[in-house]
Amino acid sequence: MTVTSRGGGMFRTKTVEQSIRDTDEPDTRLKKDLGTIDLIVFGVAVVIGAGIFTLAASTAGNIAGPAVSLSFVLAAVACGLAALCYAEFASTVPVAGSAYTFSYATLGEFIAWIIGWDLVLEFAVGSAYVSKGWSEYLAQTLGLLGIEVSTSFELGSFFSFDWGALLLVVVLAFLLYRGTKLSSRVSLVITTIKVAIVLFVIILGAFFINAANYTPFVPEPTPGSVDTGTGIQQSLLSFFGGASSSVFGVYGVFAAAAIVFFAFIGFDAVATTAEETKNPSKALPRGILGSLAIVTVLYVAVALVITGMVPYTDLATKPDGTRATLATAFASLGINWAATIIAIGALLGLTTVVMVLMLGQIRVIFAMSRDGLLPTALAKTNRFGTPGRATWLIGVVIALVATFFPAQDLEQMVNIGTLFAFVLVSIGVVVLRRTRPDLPRGFRTPLVPLVPILVVLACVWLMLNLSVETWLRFIIWMVIGVVVYFAYSRKNSILGRRERGDLPAQASSSD
């Protein structure tokens, strides 16, 4: 009996068995190199970056005050619940592509395409955004070492040339082309150093905490204005709740949770390496949950320390647009030498963030290409066992965006894309439990369907706390994705071609 797909048309699903068989195709086979430690390293590497060095300070000063630590907890709870669902899926369907692959096995091809298109937004925009942040820290670090040089210069009114971001993306694309294991070794060294720097910041900062700085823990809400953000610039929840802004107060805590959620983005990239993991049923759940637990503790500790060191008002963005960082708190207390260490830590931190985001993007493109939803040539693997063509394509696209286009104000676009992916993965867990209870599962999400329902509610809640303009941009991106699906992907789908008889159906007695 054929088990290539179930259903028909654009809601056909690709069976788990077929997805796993596809991983053995000689021309598109990925090399299995990764273990539990590698996955934890990737998870910590991608999550500890811009969020811990920048978002904690600026979000406290601009939106939540000392309660930003509570915002981190709220975001971590949503991520933790989603991680339980990812762990089950990744151990059950150990195939590249993460949420895209999981959705294809449960919710159908069209939904899988939508989530794949959504992941393109998450990883590509995230990589470009963080690359520009890396470039800024490179200039800062060189300046602290006595080398005054700008890593970017303007090209007219709308474009710039950021050679720092270009350098980073090219080097990382080369490492990813040469192999995932090599990337993991480089990531291990860098991640060890930056975690040590974060621990140094927490321990040193703890000696300068003034308990008075925690009062008020939740500052009084600020009326909406051009400066504070009102109308389409405020959160959707506060907009419909009748508040004039989402700055400080309870709405500020929730809005901050939706923004610092960006700091946790990336742990789902661990799931994209499922096909390259030696023992996915055990290593993937440990990698996903272990890395998330580590970074949550570090994030909350940093948030408490930085808001205890200085009044939250000192962390507000300056009139010239300069945002507060961890270094801001230390510099304000005259501990300038610590700023050099923090800048180096941020530089290293952002390096591995971009690396793992690019890795996730490449694996999603690889999976979609192998299914025919994108050109199949992108699924070809090279002698290093990596999708070489997809690697350089993604490298070029991200390099162009990061080098020539301003990437500021795009972190919320990444957030909404990730939250949407979490929602679909959580629904998929419930669907697969009902449709394929016979599948072996290396990890089982507890309390199904309660946990998946909580994930959906938490993620939708956070999405409602993103700005109205972010929602508008997201809807436009999704409309473009729908057009691409019906114009190209639907007719070139491997499952679709097998349905029409253009390709022979693959059979198995396992169904």
Side-chain angles (χ1 to χ4, degrees):
M1 180 182 297
T2 60
V3 293
T4 298
S5 64
R6 299 173 184 271
M10 65 182 189
F11 292 106
R12 51 185 165 245
T13 58
K14 185 178 181 181
T15 63
V16 173
E17 291 83 359
Q18 182 61 45
S19 294
I20 294 175
R21 279 201 301 276
D22 285 346
T23 65
D24 290 327
E25 292 294 327
D27 292 339
T28 59
R29 182 184 297 147
L30 296 173
K31 190 174 181 180
K32 294 184 179 295
D33 271 337
L34 305 177
T36 300
I37 298 300
D38 296 308
L39 300 182
I40 291 178
V41 168
F42 273 142
V44 174
V46 71
V47 179
I48 294 184
I52 205 164
F53 291 105
T54 302
L55 276 182
S58 62
T59 307
N62 297 328
I63 300 176
V68 70
S69 56
L70 180 58
S71 300
F72 271 109
V73 172
L74 293 174
V77 169
C79 284
L81 293 173
L84 294 173
C85 297
Y86 266 89
E88 173 167 333
F89 250 133
S91 64
T92 307
V93 192
V95 178
S98 184
Y100 159 76
T101 299
F102 307 155
S103 298
Y104 213 158
T106 54
L107 304 175
E109 181 177 280
F110 179 67
I111 301 299
W113 164 262
I114 289 295
I115 201 62
W117 187 252
D118 174 65
L119 290 174
V120 169
L121 174 72
E122 173 191 345
F123 291 131
V125 174
S127 298
Y129 175 80
V130 179
S131 295
K132 295 189 79 69
W134 183 91
S135 181
E136 293 173 359
Y137 268 108
L138 176 62
Q140 180 181 345
T141 303
L142 292 175
L144 291 170
L145 297 175
I147 306 173
E148 295 295 336
V149 61
S150 175
T151 54
S152 65
F153 53 87
E154 298 300 319
L155 293 176
S157 302
F158 300 100
F159 300 99
S160 63
F161 184 83
D162 194 326
W163 64 263
L166 176 62
L167 173 66
L168 176 66
V169 174
V170 170
V171 171
L172 294 183
F174 175 76
L175 286 174
L176 292 170
Y177 179 86
R178 288 296 303 270
T180 309
K181 189 65 175 181
L182 174 62
S183 304
S184 175
R185 288 170 179 165
V186 172
S187 186
L188 174 61
V189 174
I190 296 176
T191 301
T192 301
I193 296 173
K194 72 178 181 180
V195 168
I197 291 175
V198 170
L199 291 174
F200 162 79
V201 167
I202 294 171
I203 294 171
L204 177 64
F207 288 100
F208 296 90
I209 290 178
N210 180 357
N213 291 328
Y214 292 127
T215 304
F217 191 70
V218 180
E220 289 295 316
T222 301
S225 67
V226 175
D227 294 329
T228 61
T230 189
I232 67 170
Q233 294 178 325
Q234 67 185 99
S235 72
L236 192 66
L237 185 67
S238 64
F239 180 81
F240 285 110
S244 61
S245 80
S246 51
V247 175
F248 301 128
V250 174
Y251 283 125
V253 174
F254 289 130
I259 291 174
V260 301
F261 180 83
F262 179 82
F264 292 92
I265 284 176
F267 82 83
D268 54 321
V270 174
T272 68
T273 65
E275 202 170 316
E276 297 158 272
T277 304
K278 297 174 184 177
N279 185 5
S281 64
K282 294 184 181 297
L284 281 165
R286 292 171 182 171
I288 293 172
L289 298 172
S291 60
L292 189 59
I294 292 171
V295 300
T296 298
V297 172
L298 293 177
Y299 273 167
V300 173
V302 165
L304 287 171
V305 166
I306 196 171
T307 53
M309 289 177 64
V310 297
Y312 72 91
T313 51
D314 291 354
L315 300 174
T317 298
K318 299 295 186 290
D320 63 358
T322 302
R323 294 206 302 176
T325 66
L326 282 185
T328 304
F330 285 91
S332 67
L333 296 177
I335 318 172
N336 295 313
W337 58 270
T340 302
I341 297 176
I342 292 170
I344 294 173
L347 192 66
L348 294 173
L350 298 181
T351 300
T352 53
V353 171
V354 178
M355 176 188 287
V356 183
L357 286 175
M358 288 179 64
L359 173 66
Q361 173 73 97
I362 292 163
R363 295 308 180 265
V364 171
I365 294 293
F366 167 79
M368 296 174 75
S369 302
R370 187 164 58 186
D371 291 330
L373 302 185
L374 291 174
T376 55
L378 295 175
K380 299 293 182 183
T381 51
N382 58 24
R383 62 191 178 95
F384 301 110
T386 65
R389 296 174 182 176
T391 298
W392 285 117
L393 172 65
I394 295 304
V396 168
V397 171
I398 293 174
L400 288 173
V401 174
T403 303
F404 295 106
F405 296 92
Q408 289 78 10
D409 302 322
L410 291 179
E411 64 263 38
Q412 290 198 33
M413 287 293 290
V414 185
N415 289 5
I416 196 168
T418 305
L419 288 164
F420 184 59
F422 287 0
V423 168
L424 291 186
V425 167
S426 303
I427 294 173
V429 166
V430 178
V431 173
L432 199 62
R433 283 281 188 98
R434 293 182 178 276
T435 58
R436 297 298 309 276
D438 57 304
L439 286 174
R441 290 168 168 82
F443 177 88
R444 296 179 70 88
T445 303
L447 302 176
V448 173
L450 177 60
V451 167
I453 291 173
L454 290 176
V455 175
V456 172
L457 294 176
C459 290
V460 170
W461 177 265
L462 289 175
M463 291 172 75
L464 291 175
N465 281 281
L466 293 171
S467 68
V468 178
E469 60 183 340
T470 297
W471 275 89
L472 295 175
R473 291 171 181 167
F474 179 68
I475 291 170
I476 292 171
W477 176 257
M478 286 302 162
V479 169
I480 295 173
V482 171
V483 172
V484 173
Y485 174 78
F486 285 104
Y488 176 88
S489 304
R490 188 182 186 189
K491 63 183 178 183
N492 288 284
S493 162
I494 298 296
L495 289 188
R497 293 171 66 188
R498 285 174 180 158
E499 277 186 357
R500 297 191 299 268
D502 297 339
L503 291 176
Q506 296 184 10
S508 171
S509 59
S510 63
D511 187 28

